[in-house]
Amino acid sequence: QVHLGLGAPGEVVVTFLTKSRGVSSKVLFGKDGQNLSQEAVGEVSTYTTFICPDKGLMALAMQTEPRPGQDFVNIVNTSLFLPNDSASYVYLSEAADAWGHLSDGCIAYKNPLGYYQAPYIHTVVLKGLEPRTRYVYRPEASTRLFNFTTPPAKGASEDGRPFRIGVWSDMGITAVSAAVARQMKAGDPELVLCMGDLTYADGWSPRW
């Protein structure tokens, strides 16, 4: 995954994820049609969180009674990976029974799979960018090219070309979210401000 955000004037923030540790945080970039002769090195971080799926919030986001996903069932059903004399042994005969085996709303802390390890998050700031200019870039560890166009200079105006911004909050991950995304794309904005609530914090960490 690769995401873009605005920084200070003349800056763009590139964020990308990798599964492996030790991957370079360097991004190569340059003006469209030219070599990727510029580079920026960023920082990498990750985090671990306890998995506490919330049945009620999942139902709200999905607009239906949430059926436990197979990944969730495979974590709670420790009979798949623990011996039957283990203190954390749980056998599920029905997938729906997984909800009844949570501990205070969370997967039991003794369950070795009850903790989510995030991918490695690389954050790189590209600096010295010119306004209203198309740039091409790629993470050093990737061969895939991406591009973006910088916004106009502060206070600049262009006849017949308004700077169109989309603003979206309470985004969610439902069918309604997909419909709104299509409408947003149809408006052809140059910048979309995502204000938050991407997953309604339903406690399923991999979805975050």
Side-chain angles (χ1 to χ4, degrees):
Q1 298 183 34
V2 178
H3 300 274
L4 288 177
L6 293 180
E11 295 182 355
V12 163
V13 181
V14 178
T15 304
F16 64 94
L17 307 181
T18 60
K19 294 181 179 180
S20 302
R21 182 179 181 181
V23 175
S24 170
S25 293
K26 181 185 294 185
V27 169
L28 309 176
F29 66 102
K31 293 181 181 179
D32 190 19
Q34 300 180 9
N35 293 329
L36 305 185
S37 57
Q38 297 171 268
E39 61 182 48
V41 179
E43 299 179 344
V44 62
S45 62
T46 186
Y47 64 89
T48 302
T49 184
F50 205 23
I51 302 176
C52 300
D54 189 303
K55 185 177 182 181
L57 290 176
M58 282 186 173
L60 176 64
M62 299 170 64
Q63 301 175 348
T64 183
E65 176 69 14
R67 292 179 298 175
Q70 194 59 49
D71 289 341
F72 174 33
V73 173
N74 290 346
I75 291 175
V76 176
N77 187 14
T78 59
S79 66
L80 297 175
F81 54 89
L82 291 179
N84 57 15
D85 60 350
S86 170
S88 298
Y89 182 86
V90 173
Y91 171 75
L92 297 180
S93 57
E94 299 288 341
D97 294 341
W99 294 112
H101 287 276
L102 297 180
S103 175
D104 293 326
C106 298
I107 294 173
Y109 78 93
K110 291 184 178 180
N111 185 330
L113 299 185
Y115 300 84
Y116 172 72
Q117 177 66 51
Y120 293 92
I121 306 167
H122 303 258
T123 304
V124 188
V125 181
L126 310 187
K127 299 183 178 182
L129 306 177
E130 298 178 13
R132 191 55 92 186
T133 303
R134 181 182 171 93
Y135 285 86
V136 177
Y137 72 98
R138 68 173 176 85
E140 183 183 46
S142 174
T143 58
R144 183 180 176 186
L145 294 174
F146 303 86
N147 65 79
F148 62 86
T149 300
T150 53
K154 180 179 179 181
S157 62
E158 299 173 286
D159 293 339
R161 188 178 182 182
F163 186 69
R164 189 175 290 109
I165 298 177
V167 181
W168 190 6
S169 63
D170 292 331
M171 299 172 68
I173 49 172
T174 67
V176 175
S177 307
V180 173
R182 288 192 293 270
Q183 288 294 105
M184 183 74 74
K185 184 178 180 180
D188 195 26
E190 296 190 63
L191 172 68
V192 176
L193 301 179
C194 301
M195 309 306 292
D197 285 349
L198 274 68
T199 64
Y200 289 90
D202 58 16
W204 184 239
S205 303
R207 199 190 330 269
W208 295 4

